[in-house]
Amino acid sequence: MIRNAVALLVVLAFAGSLHADEIIYYVKKGTKREIASHGNVTVTAWSANKVDFRGADGKTGSVSALDVISVNRNYGTMSNDLQRAIEKVGSDPDAAKADLQRLTGTGNELDKEEALYWLALVNVNDANAGGNVQPALTALGNYLRAKKGGFFAREAYRLTADLQRRTKKIADARTTLGAMISADPALAREGNQLLGELEYGEKRYAEAIRAFQNAKAQATRDGNKNFEYLAVAWEGTALVANNNAAGARQLLEPIVSDEAFDDPIGFDDEIALAVAYPALGDAYYATSQFEKAYDAYVKAGYYVWWVQGANEGYCIGQAYLCARKLEGKGDVWKKRRDKLRNVLALGFPRELQRVDKEK
């Protein structure tokens, strides 16, 4: 279960030296996180809550699933048959499906669960390539019925809701995320976060705000500031959309001014800021605080670019609008206006068309 690019590099670095199972995970060091590993262990059980293992010395332990970056069983408890089936996923997906289907009923419990999950992934890949969505939904449903609180359930619920949302089955997606929230406390935070984003997309802002508040409470319970601030940033975004700019500023200003908010390993902090800054810019813009809005939009453009978000052009366009409204204050604003217009013309022509229509 790879969570980010840094984690992938760590897994690749360790992969050649594995002789049993390997668990790569985050560990807290004060207010920061570091990457650690349990090597030469045997994974004995796993779930959405934790991964249990036994060391070579016979001692047992566990790692919270929320801290797990990856579990590599290729050189340990994973059967050769499952390894070969997974290797076929990219080169011969039909053969992989047949092998994985067979393996859902044989081997140890970890293999059975992983076979179910990989079978769902192959069908999701087909759906993403333009194929029929229903086999993917069926395979994901089979996994979740067997392992509603399983190790791969977090991703299975998300993929199911994504496919349902894509095919305009919004009520089904809402039901899926509700099931995720109730399946296991370890899944509740992400389930509420995804539900809030779903409701926001449907312009059901009150429902979105409630879901984000629940996600924040659960992230605070887990001691995860990245996810806490992500939920708050989205709540602020929903408040702006619901015509409550003052309430949004009250939530968002503490996030962007928290100098201790930094994750040196992952990108979760940047992701939260990439949500917070555009919303804060919108909150300032709505109350004609154009200088503050300009600063927020410029920073928003940087963070959105950094995390490869989809609204970089919007942030630049809004910064341009702010500079245009402030151009009467001096040449510095005229120069900023002209530079931003050039950026829009070169990289975001549709956004330029949009802002040219604004008064």
Side-chain angles (χ1 to χ4, degrees):
M1 186 170 56
I2 304 299
R3 297 244 175 107
N4 57 48
V6 175
L8 177 57
L9 292 175
V10 172
V11 172
L12 291 175
F14 278 101
S17 62
L18 296 178
H19 299 288
D21 296 338
E22 177 87 9
I23 306 170
I24 311 293
Y25 63 101
Y26 291 121
V27 60
K28 282 190 176 181
K29 294 289 186 181
T31 59
K32 304 298 183 181
R33 293 190 301 170
E34 294 181 1
I35 294 176
S37 69
H38 289 300
N40 197 26
V41 299
T42 298
V43 174
T44 55
W46 57 12
S47 68
N49 183 46
K50 62 179 180 174
V51 177
D52 295 326
F53 64 89
R54 183 177 63 254
D57 58 2
K59 294 182 179 179
T60 60
S62 64
V63 177
S64 169
L66 294 174
D67 295 326
V68 169
I69 299 169
S70 69
V71 176
N72 192 321
R73 299 192 303 119
N74 290 34
Y75 298 85
T77 54
M78 182 184 290
S79 70
N80 290 333
D81 284 346
L82 182 55
Q83 278 185 263
R84 284 192 290 269
I86 293 172
E87 289 169 359
K88 292 179 184 177
V89 168
S91 60
D92 192 349
D94 289 337
K97 286 181 192 177
D99 290 348
L100 290 166
Q101 182 64 59
R102 174 176 55 82
L103 293 170
T104 60
T106 64
N108 63 54
E109 289 303 311
L110 301 183
D111 276 5
K112 290 177 183 177
E113 179 175 350
E114 192 153 0
L116 269 172
Y117 176 66
W118 274 99
L119 182 59
L121 285 186
V122 180
N123 284 283
V124 169
N125 288 342
D126 288 347
N128 289 339
N132 189 355
V133 171
Q134 191 53 51
L137 289 173
T138 298
L140 287 164
N142 289 341
Y143 174 86
L144 290 171
R145 276 188 292 275
K147 301 288 181 180
K148 69 176 184 178
F151 182 66
F152 303 100
R154 187 173 278 102
E155 186 71 0
Y157 283 115
R158 185 189 67 78
L159 289 170
T160 302
D162 282 351
L163 289 172
Q164 290 167 332
R165 187 176 183 177
R166 188 196 311 173
T167 53
K168 310 300 182 184
K169 296 179 180 179
I170 303 301
D172 289 350
R174 194 173 286 126
T175 298
T176 294
L177 296 175
M180 181 180 187
I181 292 165
S182 61
D184 191 290
L187 299 171
R189 194 280 314 170
E190 189 166 355
N192 273 297
Q193 180 67 39
L194 293 172
L195 179 61
E197 293 176 25
L198 174 73
E199 300 293 17
Y200 177 83
E202 294 300 305
K203 299 183 179 181
R204 288 161 47 100
Y205 300 125
E207 291 82 357
I209 289 166
R210 282 197 296 272
F212 291 135
Q213 288 172 341
N214 289 336
K216 174 191 173 184
Q218 287 141 3
T220 303
R221 173 203 66 193
D222 295 334
N224 192 314
K225 183 176 279 192
N226 289 330
F227 292 151
E228 177 187 338
Y229 277 8
L230 177 65
V232 173
W234 271 100
E235 183 184 352
T237 301
L239 285 169
V240 173
N242 208 32
N243 300 314
N244 187 353
R249 291 198 308 272
Q250 187 176 1
L251 287 177
L252 297 170
E253 286 172 344
I255 294 178
V256 302
S257 62
D258 185 352
E259 295 182 359
F261 183 44
D262 176 55
D263 183 354
I265 295 178
F267 303 109
D268 291 333
D269 52 342
E270 284 92 350
I271 291 171
L273 292 172
V275 177
Y277 270 118
L280 185 58
D282 288 346
Y284 287 137
Y285 193 89
T287 53
S288 300
Q289 298 181 67
F290 298 121
E291 289 192 39
K292 287 186 175 182
Y294 174 87
D295 288 340
Y297 285 132
V298 169
K299 291 173 181 175
Y302 165 76
Y303 281 107
V304 171
W305 167 80
W306 183 255
V307 302
Q308 299 182 337
N311 59 335
E312 181 186 356
Y314 171 80
C315 298
I316 295 171
Q318 290 300 109
Y320 165 78
L321 287 176
C322 292
R324 195 173 72 182
K325 289 181 179 292
L326 293 164
E327 61 185 344
K329 289 192 172 186
D331 287 342
V332 64
W333 290 106
K334 291 178 182 178
K335 291 179 180 177
R336 288 173 176 175
R337 176 204 63 190
D338 292 342
K339 287 182 179 179
L340 289 167
R341 185 176 180 82
N342 286 338
V343 172
L344 290 170
L346 291 171
F348 305 96
R350 289 186 179 179
E351 283 298 323
L352 180 58
Q353 293 175 7
R354 176 183 70 84
V355 297
D356 276 347
K357 295 176 183 178
E358 296 281 342
K359 294 182 179 179

